[in-house]
Amino acid sequence: MTYEGSSIDPAKPSIARVYDYLLGGKDNYAVDREIGDVFKRDLPGSVAIAFANRAVLTRAVREIAKTTGIRQFIDLGSGLPTADNVHQVAQRHAPESRVVYVDIDVQVLVHGRALLENNDRTRVVAVDVRNPEAIRSHPATLEVIDFALPVAVILSAILHHVNDDENPAGIVRYWRDQVPSGSCFFISHFRSGNNPETMEAEKVLQQTFGRGRWRTDAEIASLLDGLQILEPGIVPASLWRPDETDNPWNGGERRELTVWEHLIAAGLARKT
């Protein structure tokens, strides 16, 4: 999610492009790499946050597609396409799945048009996530989402860019009220760790983009009020239903998570 104008400005860093750079992507500019290098140089190991978040998103979408009847997804603040995007993961397990990507970063929208050319069950909506009603009523949303049927609402690494006075809980509450029982909400969120690494990473984000709010597990859980948080709850992303290949308990002995793996939390909730 960004708050820029209607054209790409290579002189201003973009949250989506910095994230792309940290994941090893090529859709970024020098200004984005400069910010990314602050994390790489001054906060060694912090790149693990981006990879842990991407991995847990993949697992969550796969879980929803394989174990529920949900076949429609709204990805709020989707960011730049990378490997295993939401529609690719969902359609791999349920080919009829439909996905709406929501973002206002211009470069995300350019890449989104390419998705539209290759997949008729995917749409891209250029609306700020802080305006959920405009997303809900957008013609592109209504082309592929039937709000009489369960929906998976994806909030991957987006609400920590929404300040408290912008009512992030109200954004979730709006979508909770718009979707029927059986719908799912996936959230990942920067997590307060009360340590120097957390404070420094949060400071870099706030100084660069003028916004950003780390939250505690309890605060993250409160964003999902009125929903049933499923097992294992709000936990570090690496501990959320890990695959056998990256399971911290592999071999019968739990390995210790790095401080960086503790800084991104994830959870899945259901509307009952």
Side-chain angles (χ1 to χ4, degrees):
M1 179 176 65
T2 67
Y3 303 88
E4 300 168 359
S6 58
S7 61
I8 297 173
D9 185 350
K12 289 184 178 181
S14 152
I15 292 169
R17 296 195 308 261
V18 171
Y19 187 53
D20 172 75
Y21 174 61
L22 293 176
L23 287 171
K26 305 298 183 185
D27 297 308
N28 48 73
Y29 296 108
V31 66
D32 308 303
R33 296 189 287 274
E34 182 179 347
I35 300 303
D37 285 340
V38 171
F39 287 95
K40 289 183 176 183
R41 181 187 65 246
D42 299 340
L43 301 167
S46 63
V47 176
I49 300 172
F51 283 95
N53 182 68
R54 196 71 200 179
V56 74
L57 172 62
T58 298
R59 296 197 302 274
V61 173
R62 181 184 65 202
E63 184 85 2
I64 294 167
K66 289 181 67 174
T67 66
T68 77
I70 295 174
R71 297 296 179 261
Q72 40 188 13
F73 298 75
I74 298 177
D75 187 357
L76 298 168
S78 54
L80 281 160
T82 183
D84 274 348
N85 299 291
V86 168
H87 75 284
Q88 293 166 324
V89 177
Q91 291 172 3
R92 185 180 306 142
H93 301 286
E96 67 275 28
S97 296
R98 304 179 302 281
V99 178
V100 171
Y101 291 106
V102 180
D103 211 298
I104 57 170
D105 186 292
V106 178
Q107 197 156 349
V108 172
L109 302 177
V110 169
H111 284 275
R113 296 189 186 103
L115 293 179
L116 288 176
E117 291 176 1
N118 299 318
N119 195 300
D120 62 3
R121 294 183 300 281
T122 301
R123 297 291 185 274
V124 178
V125 172
V127 178
D128 196 308
V129 298
R130 296 170 297 175
N131 189 1
E133 187 172 354
I135 300 167
R136 165 68 173 80
S137 61
H138 196 285
T141 302
L142 298 177
E143 283 178 359
V144 295
I145 303 295
D146 179 353
F147 284 96
L149 300 174
V151 179
V153 179
I154 306 297
L155 298 150
S156 175
I158 186 62
L159 291 181
H160 52 234
H161 297 302
V162 179
N163 294 333
D164 288 343
D165 60 3
E166 295 169 322
N167 195 14
I171 294 172
V172 181
R173 185 166 57 249
Y174 175 89
W175 289 109
R176 184 195 71 196
D177 293 344
Q178 294 298 313
V179 298
S181 296
S183 294
C184 284
F185 287 71
F186 170 74
I187 187 172
S188 63
H189 196 293
F190 285 151
R191 179 173 180 259
S192 296
N194 295 320
N195 56 54
E197 292 85 358
T198 303
M199 291 184 283
E200 182 62 24
E202 187 173 14
K203 184 174 75 173
V204 171
L205 186 80
Q206 291 172 339
Q207 289 177 342
T208 303
F209 300 107
R211 58 174 50 251
R213 168 79 157 83
W214 267 230
R215 295 183 173 96
T216 65
D217 289 349
E219 288 174 318
I220 297 168
S222 72
L223 296 173
L224 301 171
D225 278 352
L227 300 165
Q228 177 190 9
I229 298 177
L230 304 177
E231 293 294 331
I234 303 296
V235 297
S238 296
L239 299 184
W240 193 89
R241 305 187 189 184
D243 293 327
E244 289 185 7
T245 55
D246 60 4
N247 193 332
W249 287 276
N250 250 359
E253 293 185 11
R254 175 177 172 176
R255 67 170 176 82
E256 289 297 320
L257 298 184
T258 68
V259 66
W260 304 108
E261 288 177 294
H262 280 288
L263 296 190
I264 185 79
L268 183 66
R270 179 174 58 209
K271 181 174 179 178
T272 57

